């Protein structure tokens, strides 16, 4: 016999009883009681003062970069990049991005200077006189400032490949920049760095001051009790306030001010 492929009985696919999917009782989703979110009792008064452990002021910058050193007010000397009391001499050509001032020196206006923009020479005029007076005040202030307490460097120190952050650095004797030093602003645009040098400042040939992380040349001050010499082809950044003379050798580049 040949099977026909049909079973003797065909299942209908339906169970004898069909569940309705509904339980005998349906939960409503509501608890028997609903919390109101209110405590059983409320305080009758609020504290009138802050606890002693809460700071009264909030630092405005990252604590690791916070530092405050008073900036040096140059007054009328601010617009000058070269300022001298007795004489100014120049050999070759020098380009200045600010004013040049001389008072009360008897030297004639120095030769060989070219100026960017409207900057010019001021020789024995009222602006130069006022600039010299304000420079003297700035020199004394940069020498005497003592907060935060200065970091004392070794006597007659030679610095190379060193980092300096916001603060005051005191050197008894001379300071020599041998190769490169770094001024790190730590992302604080108001970072001020002051070097108080009782002796002379010397930057060796091809030396460099590098500004990092927002540090600005206009906020770096070197108060020099003796003379300052910027070596040939140095890249110098900062304001020199020198009690004696300043000499800039051939090919050096200064971003800042030379005030003597």
């Amino acid at each position: 016999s040949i099977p026909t492929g049909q079973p003797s009985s065909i299942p209908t696919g339906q169970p004898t009883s069909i569940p309705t999917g509904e339980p005998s009782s349906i939960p409503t989703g509501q608890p028997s009681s609903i919390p109101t979110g209110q405590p059983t009792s409320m305080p009758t008064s609020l504290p009138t003062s802050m606890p002693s452990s809460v700071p009264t002021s909030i630092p405005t910058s990252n604590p690791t970069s916070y530092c405050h050193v008073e900036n040096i007010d140059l007054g009328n000397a601010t617009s000058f990049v070269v300022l001298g009391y007795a004489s100014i001499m120049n050999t070759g050509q020098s380009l200045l991005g600010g004013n040049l001032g001389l008072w009360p020196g008897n030297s004639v206006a120095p030769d060989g200077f070219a100026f960017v923009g409207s900057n010019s020479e001021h020789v024995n005029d009222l602006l130069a006189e006022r600039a010299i007076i304000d420079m003297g005040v700035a020199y004394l202030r940069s020498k005497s400032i003592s907060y935060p307490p200065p970091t004392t460097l070794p006597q007659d120190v030679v610095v190379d490949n060193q980092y300096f952050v916001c603060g005051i650095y005191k050197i008894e004797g001379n300071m020599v920049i041998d190769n490169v030093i770094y001024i790190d602003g730590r992302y604080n645009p108001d970072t001020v760095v002051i070097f108080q040098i009782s002796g002379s400042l010397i930057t060796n040939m091809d030396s460099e001051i590098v500004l990092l992380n927002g540090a600005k040349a206009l906020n770096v001050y070197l108060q020099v009790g003796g003379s300052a010499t910027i070596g040939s082809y140095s890249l110098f950044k900062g304001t020199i306030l020198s009690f004696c003379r300043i000499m800039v050798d051939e090919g050096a580049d200064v971003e800042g001010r030379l005030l003597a």
Side-chain angles (χ1 to χ4, degrees), residues 44-102:
T44 58
S45 62
L46 296 175
T48 58
S49 62
M50 299 297 289
S52 59
S53 61
V54 177
T56 57
S57 63
I58 300 173
T60 57
S61 62
N62 188 320
T64 59
S65 64
Y66 178 76
C67 170
H68 177 71
V69 177
E70 174 190 336
N71 211 325
I72 303 300
D73 183 6
L74 296 175
N76 289 290
T78 302
S79 67
F80 289 83
V81 294
V82 174
L83 187 60
Y85 182 81
S87 65
I88 297 173
M89 295 177 289
N90 181 62
T91 300
Q93 295 295 314
S94 297
L95 179 65
L96 302 183
N99 289 327
L100 177 149
L102 175 64

Side-chain angles (χ1 to χ4, degrees), residues 1 11 14 22 58 84 92 95 113 122 131 134 145 157 160 176 194 197 209-210 231-232 244 252-253:
S1 62
Q14 301 295 330
E22 299 294 336
I58 300 173
L95 179 65
F113 287 103
H122 295 268
D134 289 348
I145 189 170
V157 65
D160 180 23
V176 177
I194 300 175
I197 306 166
I209 296 177
V210 177
S232 298
C244 299
D253 184 86

Side-chain angles (χ1 to χ4, degrees), residues 4-11:
T4 61
Q6 300 294 329
S8 59
S9 65
I10 301 172

Side-chain angles (χ1 to χ4, degrees), residues 153-159 170-176 197-200:
L153 300 181
Q155 186 174 2
D156 295 327
V157 65
V158 177
V159 290
K170 194 175 187 67
I171 300 100
E172 294 294 341
N174 303 323
M175 176 178 175
V176 177
I197 306 166
S198 67
S200 295

Side-chain angles (χ1 to χ4, degrees), residues 213-236:
N213 301 325
K216 298 177 181 178
L218 58 85
N219 291 337
V220 178
Y221 299 90
L222 298 97
Q223 174 266 316
V224 183
S227 61
T229 302
I230 308 301
S232 298
Y233 306 104
S234 294
L235 300 177
F236 183 88

Side-chain angles (χ1 to χ4, degrees), residues 228-249:
T229 302
I230 308 301
S232 298
Y233 306 104
S234 294
L235 300 177
F236 183 88
K237 296 177 177 67
T239 293
I240 296 178
L241 290 155
S242 176
F243 187 75
C244 299
R245 70 172 186 169
I246 300 173
M247 183 170 67
V248 180
D249 288 341

